[in-house]
Amino acid sequence: MPDPASPAIRSDAPDVSATSATTKSTPAPSRLRTVIGTGVGNALEWYDWNVYAIFTPFFASQFFPSADPTSALLSTLAIFAVGFLMRPLGGLVFGRLSDRKGRRAAMVGSIALAAAGSLLIGLAPTYATIGVGASALLVFARLVQGLAHGGELPAAQTYVAEMAPRERRGLWSSLIYISGTCGIMVATVLAAVLSSFLSEDQLHAWGWRVPFVIGGLLGLYALIMRLRLEETDAFEKQADTPDRHEPRTSVWRGFWENRAACLRVIGLTLGGTVVYYTWAVSAPAQAISLKGIEASSALWAGVLANLVFLVALPLFGALSDRVGRKPVLYGSYIGGAVLAFPLNWFIQDQAWQLAVSMTTAMLFMSAGAAITPAVFAEMFPTRLRTTGVGFPYAIAVAACGGSAPYLQTWLTSNGQGDLFLGYTVVLLLLALAVVHRMPETKNTDLT
């Protein structure tokens, strides 16, 4: 853990609006810009990323040969996983940009790339038009979005954590997944509306393009909002008072000096990312493709579950500010491990079964998701905070998160779905072991 001898957020600051000699006050307009600028951009990132997962059943045959629908679906999900391979590079590139040039610069760059990738998918020609070139364009667009998303989440997490008052950092950190969930919900609602008003042939022919084009065009608004954001006090203090007698530490040395924190990030992320992408992202698509649940009903079940998730996030964030980070993390991972098998077995061929299982899983998931931005930020010093979180986080997500929908689909279609559930439980137990050994970080000063 970093030495708290020179806090970037004073331990005696009672509220976000408090004024001290070393920490400037944050007026209401600045707080509003922080929430909107960070939230809109982060929501659009998650919207772009998850539109792909939600609409996979509708456009898989547009980029791959349609003779074998299952093969086309698996190929499209494989590209979903390939996009995750760029996330460690994105975490490293945008993390260093954030730690050297500022949090705002990294967030502006990441949102621009994500929007460009979405627009490319929405306008790309199909396999019937240019053959394998369509598949190549899809891969390229997903790699661009993977690079962007690998930098967006850690930069946004760091920005929010550094802007928050120490005593409310857990509550403020829930903004990351609140805004991300709003992006997912918009994508899911749009999918449900389109599936309700368009025929299946229209969805496969052109309806799937609509959400990708919308995501690309909305990127301009997110860019304008982020250009108006202020830089954090923690970064500005570090930038204004460099140690001129000591060379700048390399990023790799920084990783080594903070190796315990980096390993904690990986350990906490592995199980959480599998659960998140299994339930919050791909569950409706899995229900449509493998369980035969009607498309619009499955998508509306996803909307309901995400509404519960959205309401629970700030409640668990505030709870962690009162009782500590570790008790909330314990509840999240224990609940996920205990319920993994029952919730999956409960889903048969009815949308209400999907809604019950998704809602329950995401309620427990929300406890961990709400506070991990605060927990991760509290592990690292300011000079390495974004990179220290972003790179190991992206490695964990690339290793297990991106492959989760593909692995689940492949195993389930071969009658071995319980193997995937066992794999999920093992990763959640690993996260519990990490929580048990980590120190409590509530009210930690950011140095």
Side-chain angles (χ1 to χ4, degrees):
M1 292 296 293
D3 182 1
S6 57
I9 298 179
R10 288 172 55 91
S11 61
D12 59 348
D15 196 5
V16 69
S17 59
T19 304
S20 68
T22 61
T23 303
K24 63 184 180 183
S25 64
T26 305
S30 296
R31 294 200 300 271
L32 183 61
R33 282 197 299 270
T34 296
V35 171
I36 295 177
T38 307
V40 170
N42 191 54
L44 184 58
E45 289 271 9
W46 283 98
Y47 168 91
D48 287 340
W49 193 255
N50 289 282
V51 154
Y52 185 101
I54 293 172
F55 280 85
T56 291
F58 304 117
F59 71 83
S61 60
Q62 298 297 318
F63 290 95
F64 295 94
S66 58
D68 185 352
T70 301
S71 177
L73 176 63
L74 288 172
S75 297
T76 311
L77 288 174
I79 293 180
F80 181 79
V82 166
F84 281 78
L85 297 179
M86 291 295 287
R87 292 182 63 147
L89 180 59
L92 189 61
V93 170
F94 285 101
R96 289 305 280 168
L97 178 64
S98 173
D99 289 336
R100 291 193 175 188
K101 301 298 182 181
R103 317 312 189 195
R104 182 178 58 183
M107 291 195 296
V108 168
S110 66
I111 197 64
L113 277 183
S118 182
L119 195 60
L120 178 58
I121 295 175
L123 300 178
T126 64
Y127 187 90
T129 304
I130 62 172
V132 71
S135 306
L137 282 175
L138 183 63
V139 171
F140 176 74
R142 291 303 292 171
L143 292 177
V144 168
Q145 288 190 316
L147 183 70
H149 205 59
E152 160 65 19
L153 194 60
Q157 287 179 345
T158 299
Y159 185 82
V160 169
E162 291 181 350
M163 292 294 286
R166 187 190 65 175
E167 295 83 0
R168 298 183 185 177
R169 195 178 297 133
L171 175 60
W172 276 54
S173 75
S174 67
L175 169 66
I176 297 300
Y177 280 93
I178 289 174
S179 59
T181 302
C182 287
I184 293 173
M185 287 181 62
V186 169
T188 306
V189 168
L190 183 56
V193 170
L194 289 173
S195 66
S196 298
F197 286 93
L198 298 179
S199 68
E200 187 170 342
D201 288 342
Q202 289 173 322
L203 280 172
H204 282 83
W206 59 268
W208 62 269
R209 294 183 182 274
V210 174
F212 289 104
V213 174
I214 290 174
L217 295 178
L218 287 177
L220 178 61
Y221 175 72
L223 277 175
I224 294 172
M225 292 300 300
R226 288 197 162 179
L227 287 170
R228 298 176 59 196
L229 291 177
E230 298 178 359
E231 191 51 79
T232 69
D233 288 351
F235 178 82
E236 288 185 339
K237 181 179 179 181
Q238 173 196 250
D240 290 342
T241 57
D243 189 340
R244 302 180 182 276
H245 304 290
E246 197 174 298
R248 179 177 287 175
T249 303
S250 74
V251 63
W252 305 111
R253 181 178 176 183
F255 285 145
W256 178 252
E257 291 174 348
N258 294 271
R259 56 191 179 277
C262 290
L263 290 174
R264 290 188 194 113
V265 170
I266 292 174
L268 292 175
T269 301
L270 289 174
T273 191
V274 169
V275 173
Y276 185 82
Y277 280 98
T278 298
W279 287 107
V281 178
S282 67
Q286 296 282 337
I288 295 168
S289 301
L290 300 177
K291 298 291 186 176
I293 297 177
E294 194 266 330
S296 62
S297 298
L299 291 168
W300 283 117
V303 172
L304 174 63
N306 275 284
L307 279 172
V308 173
F309 185 69
L310 192 66
V311 172
L313 284 168
L315 300 179
F316 282 117
L319 180 64
S320 77
D321 288 329
R322 294 180 62 87
V323 304
R325 316 298 188 214
K326 292 180 67 171
V328 176
L329 291 174
Y330 274 129
S332 179
Y333 295 129
I334 290 174
V338 170
L339 295 174
F341 281 89
L343 292 180
N344 278 273
W345 291 339
F346 186 72
I347 303 173
Q348 298 300 318
D349 58 356
Q350 300 295 317
W352 70 269
Q353 298 165 344
L354 174 65
V356 170
S357 291
M358 282 190 70
T359 300
T360 305
M362 293 178 68
L363 180 62
F364 282 95
M365 186 201 316
S366 65
I371 65 172
T372 47
V375 172
F376 291 165
E378 290 161 351
M379 292 180 181
F380 292 93
T382 300
R383 62 180 174 80
L384 189 73
R385 184 162 293 126
T386 311
T387 314
V389 172
F391 189 58
Y393 175 85
I395 288 175
V397 173
C400 295
S403 62
Y406 180 92
L407 186 60
Q408 184 184 29
T409 300
W410 180 66
L411 289 174
T412 303
S413 63
N414 286 281
Q416 298 177 321
D418 285 354
L419 287 179
F420 179 81
L421 300 179
Y423 161 74
T424 303
V425 170
V426 169
L427 294 179
L428 290 171
L429 293 178
L430 173 63
L432 279 171
V434 173
V435 174
H436 179 68
R437 295 183 60 86
M438 66 182 281
E440 177 58 62
T441 58
K442 179 175 76 79
N443 288 337
T444 296
D445 292 313
L446 300 186
T447 61

